[in-house]
Amino acid sequence: MKIDVKATNLELTPSINIYIDEKVSSLERFINVAKDFKDGESAPVEAFVEIARISKHHRHGDVYRAEINMKVKGELYRAEHSDWDIRVAIDATKDLMERQLTDGKSKKQAINKRGARLIKKLRSISPMAWLTKEK
């Protein structure tokens, strides 16, 4: 996973950078990456993380903002959260992104199951029953 970090109105310290890498790389287990048949490598996953201090004159309230944009197999997932502490904002954004990734995965699984049920139902009906009309 490729992680790009951008800081706006904020100094990006090594400890914050390590913290972001740990949190965003933990999202990789929720991504179902299919292998390409040509070269055997998986599709690239890109994560763009932006942390910012909303304004320089505020001291109370939602001062820090964290935003994560992820490109997974051509789909874009986005999560954003503002909070009083940069680490709390990063944690909340990671949780929102985790929820989005699992919801997207479950939707795709539901569509596949629905299609499989339809095929199973059509296989169990005799071909003669397809031609007759119900009254």
Side-chain angles (χ1 to χ4, degrees), residues 10-63:
L10 179 72
E11 181 182 342
L12 186 63
T13 62
S15 63
I16 292 176
N17 202 2
I18 291 170
Y19 189 76
I20 290 171
D21 285 340
E22 287 175 2
K23 293 297 178 179
V24 174
S25 62
S26 71
L27 292 172
E28 196 167 12
R29 63 187 161 140
F30 296 104
I31 301 169
N32 185 13
V33 179
K35 299 278 184 182
D36 293 334
F37 294 112
K38 294 178 183 174
D39 53 2
E41 293 183 11
S42 60
V45 177
E46 297 176 345
F48 303 100
V49 181
E50 181 178 357
I51 56 172
R53 186 170 180 159
I54 295 172
S55 66
K56 293 184 178 182
H57 64 277
H58 283 116
R59 293 195 177 156
H60 302 288
D62 297 343
V63 179

Side-chain angles (χ1 to χ4, degrees), residues 121-135:
K121 183 178 177 182
L122 290 174
R123 274 190 14 199
S124 65
I125 299 174
S126 72
M128 293 303 294
W130 294 351
L131 301 175
T132 60
K133 291 185 179 180
E134 292 183 17
K135 292 183 180 183

Side-chain angles (χ1 to χ4, degrees), residues 65-68 78-82 89 92-93 96-97 100:
R65 182 178 65 89
E67 177 182 334
I68 300 175
R78 183 177 185 278
E80 178 182 359
H81 188 75
S82 298
T93 307
L96 290 171
M97 182 61 68
Q100 280 188 14

